[in-house]
Amino acid sequence: MTPAELSRTVLGAVRRAVEEGVLRGPVPERVKVERSRPGGSGDYATNAALRLARDARMPAREVAEVLSGALARHPGIAGVEISGPGFLNITLAAGTHHALVREVLSHGIRYGHGNGMAGQIHQYHHRPDVRAAVTGDAVRRLLRAQGALVRISCDRAEPAWAPLGATPDALGTPPVALPELRPVPVDVSADELLRRFGPDAARWALLRPAGHDRPRPDDGLLVQNEGNPLFRVRYAHARSRALLLNAADLGFAAGLAEDGGSSAHEKGADAHPSDAHPADTAASALLAALGDHPAALESAARLRAPDRVARHLEAIADALLGFQHTVLPVGDEKPSATHRSRLALAEAAGTVLAGGLALLGISAPEHL
């Protein structure tokens, strides 16, 4: 169960409680769930009960008790605890981690795309500078990935924008005032960016800083080591593909057991971090990052903030690089169901990295 699915599950519990007359008030359009903070219980937490309490004219803890009972009956949820004034702490059922990997692999690079903004029409205008043009292109990609219709316009375009994939949909001053994309401009021309860094590194340099920060491209963008965030993300993707090739040489492929395994070791990533093998602790960190991907894309689209995608890809890359050493058998060790499961997780992580880079308009080479 992904965060988006869990959000819909909580929203469904709210809707049923209102329909049955247990709760009063309007049903919200969305319910936010987030990873439990360090020291907290469960996999996810939501403040839905606190938000609903006022309209329901009930104490937040009573609202939480209503929702807790409904959620605990869901087959994908192992348990629900109430903490503080009415926070719901949700623990997912065993097997949900394998389901997440299957979902990623079934959707491919479109994992995290959704229809939450379907039917919406967004029109933006930007001034004629290269960072605004590249930002406009990335915002267009993100919004379309969430089902929205998007149109980006600019007074004029420069020829050097085309190699950067930053061609607006329309040129000229719009007849009516439109919301503007106004990231802080870069102090380098588009021609200079292309000459020094090429299109991929140039786009990263313009999109990775938050819109209110001024980009400062330097030669660190071209350094081939893990101190360079762009290299780290692309290297992690390439490592995931190399693991698949190396596994094939060893005679096995990615796969997930239907029952999630029969022991803590065989359960692999489904083992609880408190009693898991160190490899499974690394897997849990990677699974958490992958599970957060749909919410990260939706948030970036709604806020028109491509930098959020870049930072999220860095988190996935770091988790994958910390996990990669556990995937293949070592020495005389024979490939097992655990290795196949870990390989599937590595493949899923590489797929998500490729999809996220594509939304930023950046390529994901299989070899670096």
Side-chain angles (χ1 to χ4, degrees), residues 110-358:
R110 292 180 59 83
Y111 168 69
H113 293 209
N115 58 7
M117 302 177 76
Q120 297 183 18
I121 299 175
H122 294 260
Q123 299 186 71
Y124 299 103
H125 191 73
H126 66 79
R127 56 180 173 241
D129 77 71
V130 62
R131 190 186 186 198
V134 170
T135 299
D137 175 69
V139 167
R140 177 172 52 198
R141 293 168 186 260
L142 289 168
L143 286 168
R144 287 178 176 172
Q146 299 303 316
L149 299 175
V150 191
R151 186 174 185 269
I152 304 292
S153 63
C154 181
D155 293 336
R156 59 179 175 81
E158 296 181 11
W161 294 358
L164 288 169
T167 304
D169 298 309
L171 298 178
T173 303
V176 296
L178 295 178
E180 289 194 342
L181 299 172
R182 298 180 62 86
V184 176
V186 67
D187 295 327
V188 183
S189 70
D191 286 319
E192 180 69 6
L193 284 170
L194 282 168
R195 184 187 67 79
R196 289 179 59 189
F197 306 113
D200 285 332
R203 284 186 69 101
W204 181 270
L206 298 176
L207 296 174
R208 172 57 180 82
H212 56 266
D213 293 330
R214 187 179 299 278
R216 303 187 185 281
D218 58 38
D219 291 341
L221 289 164
L222 303 177
V223 173
Q224 299 285 296
N225 65 38
E226 293 184 17
N228 174 3
L230 174 59
F231 173 80
R232 195 162 69 247
V233 170
R234 298 171 94 192
Y235 174 67
H237 169 265
R239 284 298 303 145
S240 74
R241 285 2 191 192
L243 288 170
L244 291 170
L245 294 176
N246 293 340
D249 290 340
L250 294 173
F252 75 100
L256 295 169
E258 291 300 321
D259 61 0
S262 58
S263 67
H265 180 66
E266 285 298 314
K267 285 179 182 177
D270 282 329
H272 191 277
S274 63
D275 58 9
H277 186 276
D280 301 325
T281 302
S284 294
L286 181 53
L287 283 157
L290 297 184
D292 290 341
H293 188 65
L297 295 188
E298 182 183 11
S299 174
R302 291 185 182 277
L303 297 175
R304 302 183 298 282
D307 59 289
R308 289 176 170 247
V309 177
R311 289 196 298 274
H312 182 63
L313 294 181
E314 291 174 29
I316 294 174
D318 290 342
L320 175 54
L321 292 173
F323 170 72
Q324 62 166 328
H325 306 291
T326 72
V327 173
L328 300 179
V330 177
D332 295 332
E333 190 178 10
K334 300 297 184 182
S336 67
T338 299
H339 294 112
R340 290 191 289 274
S341 174
R342 292 174 185 164
L343 183 61
L345 175 54
E347 180 182 5
T351 299
V352 172
L353 289 173
L357 286 170

Side-chain angles (χ1 to χ4, degrees), residues 36 39-46 61 64-65 68-69 71-72 77-84 86-91:
S36 296
S41 62
D43 297 309
Y44 290 93
T46 178
R61 283 193 68 92
E65 289 169 1
S68 174
L71 292 172
I77 294 176
V80 183
E81 295 181 10
I82 302 172
S83 64
F87 291 100
L88 291 167
N89 302 292
I90 302 169
T91 300

Side-chain angles (χ1 to χ4, degrees), residues 10 13-14 16-17 20 22-23 46-53 56 58-73 79-90:
V10 176
V14 173
R16 286 191 298 274
E20 294 169 1
V22 181
L23 292 179
T46 178
N47 65 351
L50 282 76
R51 291 184 54 201
L52 295 166
M58 296 168 59
R61 283 193 68 92
E62 290 186 16
V63 177
E65 289 169 1
V66 170
L67 298 180
S68 174
L71 292 172
R73 294 191 292 270
V80 183
E81 295 181 10
I82 302 172
S83 64
F87 291 100
L88 291 167
N89 302 292
I90 302 169

